Amino acid sequence: AQSVAQPEDQVNVAEGNPLTVKCTYSVSGNPYLFWYVQYPNRGLQFLLKYITGDNLVKGSYGFEAEFNKSQTSFHLKKPSALVSDSALYFCAVRDTHAGNNRKLIWGLGTSLAVNP
Amino acid sequence: SQTIHQWPATLVQPVGSPLSLECTVEGTSNPNLYWYRQAAGRGLQLLFYSVGIGQISSEVPQNLSASRPQDRQFILSSKKLLLSDSGFYLCAWSVTDHYEQYFGPGTRLTVT
């Protein structure tokens, strides 16, 4: 079965320190991978995607993500965390089942808290 | 540029009352449209998606329905709300070749 796992419900990091939010996936075929951020009582905002090419993808607000095919992972990273990065982060992968490729499979989200 | 609108932003409805949530997209044509529900501020549940006018795919059997009367309009409805329908409802759109979805601001529904 196709799935996305975000193994950490919550990540805590000090402001200025690097942050990593983990994501692993299981799909057949080539994965199309996405990261989103959600602030309280808001819709999700698209951060970045991996479709093909360079394994390190750069996105909005200084975030980047590294695609690792052998480990089936797509971890979100930022070199220096800001308090304003505190939010809920979602990883998603395109459903590759025939007829379903307009749908995304979502992780359950990771709450990031950046402490001043 | 593209914009997605949802209304209302918040809604409190009694059990058994009807529901109509509306979503419209501007600045693009023939988008794929999606309705999600998010409970307790965490996971997203895909409710319906549409690849064109009048074409609706239902993901979860329930007392909700969706319609797409115009190319960029997507409506979520219910004839009789249940307590379990409470949640944060999100509309999203995408274009076929890019797959990433763009979300509206959401509607907070509380069924009392």
Side-chain angles (χ1 to χ4, degrees):
Chain A
Q2 301 186 92
S3 63
V4 173
Q6 294 183 241
E8 301 155 316
D9 282 345
Q10 179 147 353
V11 170
N12 294 293
V13 64
E15 187 175 28
N17 283 2
L19 70 86
T20 298
V21 183
K22 296 179 180 178
C23 173
T24 59
Y25 64 91
S26 174
V27 294
S28 55
N30 294 322
Y32 291 8
L33 294 152
F34 308 88
W35 274 104
Y36 287 79
V37 60
Q38 184 182 30
Y39 297 98
N41 296 311
R42 300 290 186 92
L44 279 70
Q45 295 179 33
F46 171 68
L47 282 177
L48 51 81
K49 66 180 178 182
Y50 172 83
I51 303 296
T52 186
D54 194 345
N55 289 343
L56 185 64
V57 179
K58 295 189 182 296
S60 305
Y61 312 121
F63 284 94
E64 57 190 26
E66 186 168 12
F67 171 64
N68 187 316
K69 187 174 182 177
S70 63
Q71 297 186 7
T72 62
S73 67
F74 190 54
H75 300 332
L76 182 70
K77 300 181 180 184
K78 188 174 183 181
S80 178
L82 300 173
V83 172
S84 57
D85 293 330
S86 299
L88 189 57
Y89 290 81
F90 290 95
C91 180
V93 65
R94 181 179 68 104
D95 191 329
T96 58
H97 282 154
N100 287 346
N101 63 0
R102 294 177 179 86
K103 298 192 296 182
L104 298 180
I105 300 166
W106 295 88
L108 294 179
T110 298
S111 180
L112 173 67
V114 181
N115 307 305
Chain B
S1 64
Q2 299 86 7
T3 309
I4 180 169
H5 303 278
Q6 276 188 253
W7 63 90
T10 60
L11 192 58
V12 180
Q13 293 283 97
V15 168
S17 64
L19 173 73
S20 181
L21 302 181
E22 187 163 344
C23 170
T24 59
V25 180
E26 296 177 355
T28 188
S29 297
N30 196 31
N32 300 319
L33 295 171
Y34 307 82
W35 278 112
Y36 289 90
R37 178 168 58 203
Q38 186 179 30
R42 291 309 281 251
L44 296 172
Q45 180 186 33
L46 179 63
L47 302 174
F48 302 94
Y49 71 98
S50 170
V51 300
I53 295 174
Q55 300 178 64
I56 309 294
S57 296
S58 175
E59 293 296 298
V60 182
Q62 57 203 334
N63 68 320
L64 299 173
S65 62
S67 62
R68 184 170 177 173
Q70 300 180 44
D71 181 44
R72 290 169 289 177
Q73 184 185 30
F74 204 24
I75 297 172
L76 182 70
S77 303
S78 174
K79 293 182 179 178
K80 288 186 178 182
L81 283 168
L82 307 173
L83 285 174
S84 58
D85 291 324
S86 293
F88 193 46
Y89 287 81
L90 291 159
C91 181
W93 68 274
S94 71
V95 293
T96 300
D97 296 337
H98 291 170
Y99 302 108
E100 64 267 26
Q101 296 174 13
Y102 296 94
F103 285 77
T107 295
R108 174 75 59 190
L109 172 65
T110 303
V111 183
T112 60

